[in-house]
């Protein structure tokens, strides 16, 4: 009653290879919920592979992914398009020029170079940068890092992000996840995130989650039908359809 079936030994001997792989994925499954103080490396976190549940070890993950002109499989220029005020992102030891000694920090911190500030005074720590920039790195670290779970969930995907940045980040995540072997579940309350999803691709699933009158959870897939395709072609985006209540999963408010 307190452990998932994935952690229970099979009473009928070793499972088939496909079932064994599924059980391994389920055992490694984790729900990540970023917290700003942890992303800024001023609070500790639960360890979980490459990145902690709440964003711990982000600087270490950035250090491991940042090589040459790339951030994992992503060209560095593509990352800097998401962080349009930065000219570089890396990890470094906390020094007085980056972080006040009075601020508690881990052994490594995220370092940004601001392309608009005066050279020599344009390096910022994760403590000073916007939490949205840290969140972008956090999400990409989960998608790119080889030690991140192969099956994971991210709570509140749009956390601390401008609506347009959240949409673009969702598009990038979908591109790289579909090109690899990782599976990601995300939750969002930002309508624009939906506009980055190509529901014609069966590998991308949009699920509307509601509560029934008796309080039970109800999950319904939004299927890419001819009617939906026609609506999208006529300019009714998924975000508009959701806000107007046509997709479900909205509060019953007047």
């Amino acid at each position: 009653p307190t452990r998932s079936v994935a952690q229970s030994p099979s009473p009928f001997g070793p499972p088939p290879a496909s079932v064994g792989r599924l059980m391994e994925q389920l055992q490694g499954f984790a729900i990540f919920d970023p917290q700003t103080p942890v992303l800024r490396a001023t609070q500790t976190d639960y360890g979980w592979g490459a990145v902690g549940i709440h964003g711990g070890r982000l600087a270490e993950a950035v250090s491991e992914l940042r090589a040459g002109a790339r951030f994992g499989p992503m060209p560095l220029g593509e990352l800097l398009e998401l962080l349009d005020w930065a000219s570089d992102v890396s990890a470094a030891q906390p020094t007085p020029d980056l972080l006040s000694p009075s601020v508690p920090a881990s052994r490594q911190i995220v370092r940004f170079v601001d392309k608009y500030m005066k050279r020599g005074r344009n390096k910022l720590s994760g403590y000073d940068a916007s939490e949205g920039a840290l969140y972008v790195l956090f999400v990409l670290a989960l998608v790119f890092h080889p030690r991140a779970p192969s099956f994971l969930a991210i709570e509140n995907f749009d956390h601390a992000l401008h609506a347009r940045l959240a949409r673009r980040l969702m598009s990038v995540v979908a591109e790289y996840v579909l090109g690899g072997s990782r599976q990601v579940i995300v939750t969002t309350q930002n309508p624009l995130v939906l506009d980055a999803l190509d529901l014609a691709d069966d590998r991308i699933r949009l699920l509307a989650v509601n509560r029934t009158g008796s309080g039970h959870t109800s999950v319904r897939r939004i299927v890419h039908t001819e009617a939906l395709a026609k609506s999208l072609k006529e300019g009714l985006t998924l975000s508009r359809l959701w806000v107007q209540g046509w997709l479900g999963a909205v509060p019953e408010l007047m």
Side-chain angles (χ1 to χ4, degrees):
T2 59
R3 300 178 64 188
S4 86
V5 66
Q7 297 173 319
S8 303
S10 172
F12 306 108
S18 59
V19 176
R21 288 192 297 270
L22 174 61
M23 294 299 102
E24 288 179 4
Q25 285 188 317
L26 293 178
Q27 287 188 48
F29 176 76
I31 300 175
F32 291 86
D33 183 16
Q35 303 294 327
T36 300
V38 179
L39 291 172
R40 296 195 191 283
T42 59
Q43 289 187 9
T44 57
D45 189 11
Y46 301 103
W48 192 281
V51 187
I53 294 293
H54 300 304
R57 296 193 72 254
L58 178 61
E60 288 81 353
V62 168
S63 177
E64 292 161 359
L65 290 169
R66 181 74 172 83
R70 306 192 71 82
F71 186 75
M74 171 186 279
L76 183 61
E78 188 176 345
L79 170 61
L80 297 179
E81 287 179 4
L82 297 173
L83 309 176
D84 59 353
W85 55 269
S87 60
D88 195 16
V89 177
S90 60
Q93 293 182 339
T95 56
D97 62 318
L98 278 177
L99 191 66
S100 169
S102 63
V103 177
S106 58
R107 289 177 296 177
Q108 279 192 303
I109 58 174
V110 178
R111 180 181 66 180
F112 299 91
V113 178
D114 190 312
K115 65 182 179 183
Y116 297 109
M117 296 174 66
K118 183 178 180 180
R119 182 172 297 183
R121 302 180 64 86
N122 60 344
K123 294 179 180 178
L124 303 174
S125 71
Y127 184 79
D128 299 308
S130 70
E131 60 179 331
L134 294 171
Y135 188 70
V136 168
L137 295 178
F138 167 77
V139 170
L140 294 180
L142 291 178
V143 172
F144 295 153
H145 205 289
R147 293 202 310 277
S150 60
F151 181 32
L152 61 92
I154 303 174
E155 185 73 60
N156 295 322
F157 182 84
D158 51 296
H159 173 83
L161 299 179
H162 186 279
R164 296 182 66 177
L165 177 56
R167 178 179 60 187
R168 176 58 182 156
L169 180 60
M170 183 73 262
S171 177
V172 170
V173 167
E175 174 188 351
Y176 282 95
V177 167
L178 294 180
S181 58
R182 185 160 280 139
Q183 183 174 4
V184 178
I185 299 174
V186 304
T187 65
T188 184
Q189 300 293 335
N190 187 327
L192 283 189
V193 170
L194 273 60
D195 292 340
L197 303 177
D198 179 11
L199 298 190
D201 188 330
D202 193 53
R203 297 171 297 174
I204 297 177
R205 306 291 179 93
L206 176 61
L207 306 174
V209 182
N210 289 290
R211 299 285 289 278
T212 67
S214 58
H216 296 154
T217 299
S218 170
V219 180
R220 178 176 58 87
R221 181 185 176 188
I222 308 299
V223 181
H224 185 76
T225 61
E226 290 185 5
L228 178 58
K230 182 180 179 181
S231 297
L232 296 176
K233 189 175 182 179
E234 293 173 350
L236 283 174
T237 60
L238 285 173
S239 58
R240 290 181 61 188
L241 292 172
W242 185 22
V243 171
Q244 292 175 9
W246 294 349
L247 300 183
V250 292
E252 297 295 333
L253 301 175
M254 298 298 293

